[in-house]
Amino acid sequence: MKELQVALNNDRSYPIYIGAGLLTQAELLTKHIRSKQILIVTNETIAPLYLAKLQTALGGDYQVETVILPDGEQYKTLEYLEKIFDQLLAKKFSRNATLIALGGGVIGDMGGFAAACYQRGIAFIQIPTTLLAQVDSSVGGKTGVNHPLGKNMIGAFYQPQCVIADADVLDTLDDRQLSAGLAEVIKYGLIRDPAFLEWLETNMPKLLARDKDALACAIERSCINKAEVVGEDEFESGVRATLNLGHTFGHAIETGSGYGHYLHGEAVAIGTCFAADLSRRLGWLNDADVNRIIAVFKAANLPATPPKEMTTEQYVDLMAVDKKNVDGKIRVILLEAVGKASLPVNVDLAQLQATLNGYAG
Ligand SMILES: NC(=O)c1ccc[n+]([C@@H]2O[C@H](COP(=O)([O-])OP(=O)(O)OC[C@H]3O[C@@H](n4cnc5c(N)ncnc54)[C@H](O)[C@@H]3O)[C@@H](O)[C@H]2O)c1
Ligand SMILES: [Zn+2]
């Protein structure tokens, strides 16, 4: 097992445990639990696979309650968040209770936000079960839900007590979800770790074949990158914004094509190809760089071109409500080089439209 640290101020630092078979290692959990009351939040797909395992590992000493949400990004809403509060209140959970989020990014984001809100904050543990959640969403404390008018628009920064990334749970993940997680893995290489990008280019076939050592290595290196960025800039006043490479475009694609049509990682892959194209227009990348970026996403079985039905106007509209925008200007993260992200750049509308026209139908 590997243990990494997310270093934060005011004693809020926490460990990330990475390895195989961690779900049944109860002591990893119990040392972070403050009272007998535990609420496990999961969904209808993950519950039959892993809930009993986790409950058995916890043993009989705790009051373990569960909330099993329907599966899907479309349920990442205030309405379904309330189901978690209903259960916490019905079971008379106190401020010392612990909420465990067992699932992918949807469950992690919702569980974390519920923990942040319930009695103004209860302890919270992340057990991410998708590659995307293990390398990205479970680390760093961003929690929240979607609103019909925008993704992740209602939320809070709220850090977990620990993150437990068990590589074994990825065995049941389908290929499309595995690839979606790889989009965020590739992102770390592109924004700040060129050696990792090279490693990924070489090892992509192993990752797709679910070679356990290769996966553990990719998870660890991704978490190291994320932990460093979050440790430097927890509340996204600077460098943390670079983690949003491809995301402003990606969110527009997710919203514009209806939540659930594209997986988050797929939309990010397409969005990163947009960002690469725009970076080339600014003279920061050359043709070979852009082709290399498209190739690495394709090697991970990810899409590199967007939905035909979205128009340039739609993109501009959707990007204008993105959280990263200041004063109505569209700001995006671009690449100054392969392996080096820019800080947010105010996009020149003509150049943006040139990029979008190149893609939009
Ligand atoms: N908080 C953050 O910093 C952050 C970062 C990136 C993404 N996100 C959010 O994360 C969400 C996407 O997360 P995701 O990609 O994990 O999606 P997800 O949570 O919807 O999980 C994907 C699918 O895989 C299933 N699943 C999960 N684990 C499984 C397993 N081990 N075996 C079989 N099936 C399994 C889920 O039930 C679901 O159907 C989005 O809502 C996005 O906004 C948050
Ligand atoms: Zn993301």
Side-chain angles (χ1 to χ4, degrees), residues 132 136 184 187 243 247 251 264-265 268:
L132 183 135
D136 188 2
E184 306 277 8
K187 176 183 81 180
L243 297 173
H247 280 59
H251 287 164
H264 176 76
V268 165

Side-chain angles (χ1 to χ4, degrees), residues 19-311:
L22 303 189
L23 198 60
T24 51
Q25 291 186 28
E27 68 285 356
L28 293 179
L29 279 166
T30 51
K31 66 180 172 194
H32 298 286
I33 286 171
R34 296 178 193 156
S35 81
K36 297 282 176 211
Q37 293 183 313
I38 299 173
L39 180 72
I40 303 174
V41 177
T42 188
N43 77 19
E44 285 168 348
T45 304
I46 299 149
L49 296 169
Y50 301 113
L51 180 57
K53 247 189 191 167
L54 180 58
Q55 284 169 318
T56 307
L58 284 167
D61 288 346
Y62 296 94
Q63 177 197 351
V64 182
E65 308 288 351
T66 56
V67 172
I68 300 176
L69 296 170
D71 184 0
E73 180 82 32
Q74 67 271 36
Y75 303 107
K76 188 177 159 185
T77 60
L78 286 171
E79 187 191 343
Y80 283 89
L81 191 71
E82 203 156 327
K83 309 253 179 256
I84 305 175
F85 300 134
D86 291 348
Q87 182 74 327
L88 287 164
L89 284 161
K91 303 294 182 186
K92 302 193 166 41
F93 269 46
S94 78
R95 274 220 64 188
N96 293 322
T98 301
L99 189 152
I100 300 178
L102 172 68
V106 169
I107 292 296
D109 281 12
M110 292 181 79
F113 189 38
C117 297
Y118 186 67
Q119 300 203 22
R120 300 185 185 81
I122 59 172
F124 152 58
I125 291 175
Q126 287 270 22
I127 306 186
T129 62
T130 62
L131 180 61
L132 183 135
Q134 294 187 345
V135 299
D136 188 2
S137 62
S138 67
V139 176
K142 281 195 186 178
T143 72
V145 294
N146 299 325
H147 184 278
L149 296 181
K151 205 175 133 55
N152 295 329
M153 282 289 153
I154 320 289
F157 281 100
Y158 197 65
Q159 300 290 346
Q161 306 298 310
C162 72
V163 179
I164 300 174
D166 182 345
D168 282 350
V169 302
L170 300 179
D171 284 343
T172 52
L173 199 64
D174 68 38
D175 289 345
R176 192 176 163 203
Q177 294 288 352
L178 189 79
S179 288
L182 288 172
E184 306 277 8
V185 173
I186 293 166
K187 176 183 81 180
Y188 297 113
L190 290 175
I191 62 172
R192 70 195 302 277
D193 195 346
F196 184 35
L197 184 71
E198 274 176 39
W199 184 89
L200 288 168
E201 287 170 327
T202 309
N203 288 279
M204 197 58 81
K206 279 192 189 167
L207 292 168
L208 290 173
R210 294 166 199 250
D211 176 295
K212 277 283 155 62
D213 291 338
L215 278 173
C217 192
I219 295 166
E220 187 193 355
R221 187 78 170 247
S222 298
C223 286
I224 290 172
N225 275 296
K226 178 118 190 207
E228 279 177 8
V229 171
V230 170
E232 229 175 280
D233 176 28
E234 185 180 359
F235 299 111
E236 200 167 313
S237 47
V239 71
R240 186 167 180 169
T242 60
L243 297 173
N244 295 316
L245 176 70
H247 280 59
T248 304
F249 295 110
H251 287 164
I253 292 166
E254 281 181 89
T255 311
S257 53
Y259 289 140
H261 184 73
Y262 280 99
L263 298 178
H264 176 76
E266 292 171 344
V268 165
I270 299 168
T272 303
C273 295
F274 278 33
D277 185 272
L278 202 46
S279 306
R280 170 170 52 188
R281 285 173 202 279
L282 295 179
W284 292 346
L285 298 186
N286 60 33
D287 290 352
D289 295 331
V290 175
N291 291 338
R292 182 179 171 197
I293 292 167
I294 292 170
V296 69
F297 285 119
K298 285 192 170 159
N301 291 333
L302 285 160
T305 46
K308 280 272 170 283
E309 62 280 3
M310 273 181 74
T311 61

